[in-house]
């Protein structure tokens, strides 16, 4: 049953391929900051209206996922409107990847999953943003990508946290993130001595 469902999803995606040609690739390149949904998230963060915002790091913003079927699902959004890692200058890119690892470690510590999945896709929203999914062996499809989970399950209103639950999730990540960053700073100071 699971293999059939995953095969069906792959065949559905393959059916779309002729429609994802030059025009779609051109869309990725031409996405600008005015019509970029990720830039809109950033704008809302700066205005104080993004209720899923957790904290700001040097290279990006930590944001709780809207739906929490994978409890602890978090995004790390690049501050720069870039589409690919190689578009970042070397120092910024290294810092961005380091900070993404801080965020993922915080998610791991806060939610204690069996495994984390990391995704930097950009097929829908090309502005770089990491998806960090805590995974559990108790899920119906633990050995498949998160996208094997039916959309109606992943995006069900029943897995959208209440305001209070959202605040608790954010606090857990922020607490662990602060510890991870402090530990890294301490270990860097020790290595300089």
């Amino acid at each position: 049953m699971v293999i059939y469902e995953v095969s069906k999803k792959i065949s559905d995606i393959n059916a779309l391929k002729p429609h994802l040609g030059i025009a779609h690739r051109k869309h990725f390149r031409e996405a600008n900051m005015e019509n970029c949904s990720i830039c809109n998230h950033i704008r809302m963060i700066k205005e104080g209206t993004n209720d899923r915002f957790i904290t700001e790091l040097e290279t990006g913003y930590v944001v709780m996922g809207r739906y929490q079927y994978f409890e602890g699902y978090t995004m790390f959004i690049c501050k720069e409107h870039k589409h690919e890692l190689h578009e970042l200058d070397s120092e910024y890119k290294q810092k961005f990847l380091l900070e993404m690892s801080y965020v993922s470690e915080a998610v791991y510590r806060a939610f204690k999953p069996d495994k984390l999945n990391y995704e930097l896709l950009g097929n829908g929203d090309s502005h770089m943003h990491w998806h960090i999914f805590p995974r559990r062996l108790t899920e119906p499809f633990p050995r498949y990508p998160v996208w094997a989970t039916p959309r109606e399950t992943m995006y069900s209103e029943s897995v959208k946290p209440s305001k209070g639950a959202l605040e608790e999730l954010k606090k857990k990540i922020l607490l662990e993130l602060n510890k991870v960053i402090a530990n890294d700073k301490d270990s860097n100071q020790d290595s300089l001595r």
Side-chain angles (χ1 to χ4, degrees):
M1 181 69 165
V2 171
I3 293 172
Y4 168 76
E5 289 177 15
V6 171
S7 296
K8 172 117 177 62
K9 284 184 181 263
I10 291 169
S11 108
D12 291 347
I13 290 167
N14 285 335
L16 289 174
K17 281 184 178 175
H19 306 288
L20 300 177
I22 294 168
H24 200 68
R25 285 191 302 271
K26 188 176 177 186
H27 162 75
F28 291 156
R29 293 276 129 235
E30 291 181 353
N32 59 40
M33 295 181 353
E34 288 78 40
N35 63 11
C36 171
S37 67
I38 300 300
C39 287
N40 286 333
H41 278 291
I42 293 171
R43 179 185 47 74
M44 290 171 63
I45 288 167
K46 290 178 178 179
E47 293 171 353
T49 60
N50 187 321
D51 64 340
R52 295 180 296 122
F53 170 65
I54 299 170
T55 194
E56 178 178 356
L57 300 179
E58 188 177 325
T59 65
Y61 301 96
V62 184
V63 178
M64 202 81 233
R66 182 178 314 281
Y67 297 93
Q68 291 292 309
Y69 177 78
F70 301 100
E71 186 185 36
Y73 163 48
T74 303
M75 297 187 328
F76 183 54
I77 299 172
C78 186
K79 285 183 177 180
E80 291 192 16
H81 180 84
K82 301 288 184 185
H83 308 280
E84 306 293 344
L85 283 168
H86 66 264
E87 294 175 356
L88 298 172
D89 73 52
S90 183
E91 188 176 319
Y92 192 91
K93 175 174 35 186
Q94 289 175 36
K95 184 70 175 185
F96 179 58
L97 292 170
L98 177 64
E99 289 183 339
M100 184 280 297
S101 74
Y102 291 161
V103 175
S104 65
E105 185 175 348
V107 169
Y108 188 86
R109 288 179 175 201
F111 298 98
K112 299 174 183 30
D114 295 306
K115 176 73 178 100
L116 288 176
N117 285 174
Y118 307 80
E119 294 190 344
L120 179 68
L121 300 170
N123 302 60
D125 295 310
S126 63
H127 180 139
M128 280 192 297
H129 60 289
W130 287 97
H131 297 269
I132 303 165
F133 292 99
R135 301 297 304 274
R136 302 201 185 303
L137 292 173
T138 55
E139 296 167 17
F141 309 107
R143 304 242 181 248
Y144 292 93
V146 295
W147 311 113
T149 305
R151 290 182 63 81
E152 60 274 7
T153 302
M154 260 179 80
Y155 301 121
S156 165
E157 287 299 311
S158 68
V159 296
K160 198 172 180 182
S162 67
K163 185 175 175 113
L166 178 62
E167 290 306 313
E168 287 304 311
L169 293 168
K170 289 166 39 178
K171 282 180 193 173
K172 285 175 82 167
I173 291 175
L174 186 58
L175 175 68
E176 294 301 331
L177 182 58
N178 287 334
K179 290 178 191 176
V180 168
I181 292 170
N183 288 342
D184 190 58
K185 285 181 181 173
D186 289 345
S187 66
N188 284 337
Q189 289 299 321
D190 289 344
S191 67
L192 294 174
R193 292 180 193 156

